[in-house]
C-alpha cells in the first residue's frame, strides 16, 4: 500500500468514488468503528477503515484488493459510522469502477457446486449476483 499523498483536487480515485457513491469520503475520521463492526474484516486485505483511507489518499491499490469483493454489503458499518458515511456504497463504487470496465470478478457459470456452502446465507448469493451484473 502506498502512503503517497495526492492533493484532493488531483485525486482521481476520490473524485470517482464520491461521484458514483454520492458519499463524502473525506468526512471519514478514521475512528475504526467500521472495521471493528465488520463481520468480514478478518478476511480482508484492506480493512473497511483502510479502504476509506486508501480512497482519501488516492491509493489505487485498493481497486485490486480482495476486500472490496469480500464485503458482503451487510450495512453494519453504514449503520454504525459516527460520520454518517455509507461505507457499503463506497465499496460498491469501487466494484463499479471494475465492472464498468467489464472486469467481472465473479462468473457464476464457473462456480462449482462444492464451492457453495450448505449454510450459505441467501444475502451472500444476492450480494454476489448484484456484484456480477456489471
Ligand atoms: S466508522 Fe466511519 S468515520 Fe469511522 S473509520 Fe469507518 S468510515 Fe471512517
Ligand atoms: S458492508 Fe461490507 S465493509 Fe461494511 S460491515 Fe458489512 S461486510 Fe463489512
Amino acid at each position: 500500500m502506498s502512503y503517497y499523498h495526492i492533493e484532493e483536487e488531483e485525486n482521481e480515485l476520490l473524485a470517482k468514488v464520491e461521484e458514483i457513491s454520492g458519499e463524502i469520503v473525506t468526512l471519514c475520521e478514521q475512528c475504526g468503528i467500521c472495521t471493528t463492526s465488520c463481520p468480514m474484516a478478518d478476511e480482508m486485505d484492506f480493512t473497511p477503515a483502510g479502504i476509506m483511507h486508501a480512497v482519501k489518499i488516492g491509493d489505487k491499490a485498493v481497486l485490486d484488493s480482495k476486500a472490496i469483493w469480500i464485503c458482503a454489503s451487510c450495512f453494519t458499518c453504514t449503520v454504525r459510522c459516527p460520520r454518517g458515511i455509507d461505507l457499503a456504497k463506497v465499496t460498491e463504487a469501487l466494484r463499479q469502477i471494475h465492472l464498468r470496465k467489464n472486469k467481472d470478478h465473479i462468473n457464476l457459470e464457473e462456480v462449482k457446486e462444492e464451492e457453495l456452502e450448505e449454510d450459505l446465507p441467501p444475502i451472500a448469493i444476492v450480494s454476489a449476483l448484484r456484484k456480477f451484473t456489471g
Side-chain angles (χ1 to χ4, degrees):
M1 177 171 160
S2 162
Y3 289 95
Y4 175 64
H5 184 268
I6 300 172
E7 290 302 324
E8 214 170 293
E9 58 270 23
E10 296 170 3
N11 188 339
E12 280 175 49
L13 180 64
L14 175 65
K16 195 76 186 163
V17 168
E18 289 193 338
E19 180 196 336
I20 296 173
S21 69
E23 296 300 303
I24 303 171
V25 175
T26 49
L27 286 176
C28 172
E29 59 189 3
Q30 285 293 295
C31 68
I33 290 174
C34 50
T35 298
T36 54
S37 306
C38 175
M40 304 304 290
D42 286 348
E43 310 299 324
M44 293 177 168
D45 45 2
F46 277 70
T47 61
I51 291 171
M52 297 298 284
H53 178 65
V55 174
K56 272 175 87 171
I57 66 168
D59 181 0
K60 290 184 179 173
V62 72
L63 286 169
D64 295 322
S65 69
K66 289 185 197 159
I68 63 173
W69 302 100
I70 287 172
C71 168
S73 304
C74 71
F75 300 107
T76 305
C77 55
T78 299
V79 170
R80 296 195 177 159
C81 175
R83 302 292 283 174
I85 303 167
D86 190 337
L87 205 150
K89 278 190 185 169
V90 172
T91 54
E92 174 66 11
L94 290 164
R95 292 191 293 269
Q96 283 296 325
I97 291 172
H98 275 279
L99 295 170
R100 289 177 185 189
K101 292 178 185 164
N102 290 327
K103 287 186 183 171
D104 290 332
H105 188 73
I106 299 170
N107 184 344
L108 288 183
E109 287 175 7
E110 290 173 5
V111 176
K112 298 185 184 87
E113 205 169 314
E114 56 267 28
E115 288 175 332
L116 296 172
E117 300 279 343
E118 224 172 77
D119 55 354
L120 189 69
I123 186 68
I125 298 169
V126 171
S127 175
L129 282 169
R130 191 165 53 81
K131 290 171 188 172
F132 180 60
T133 53

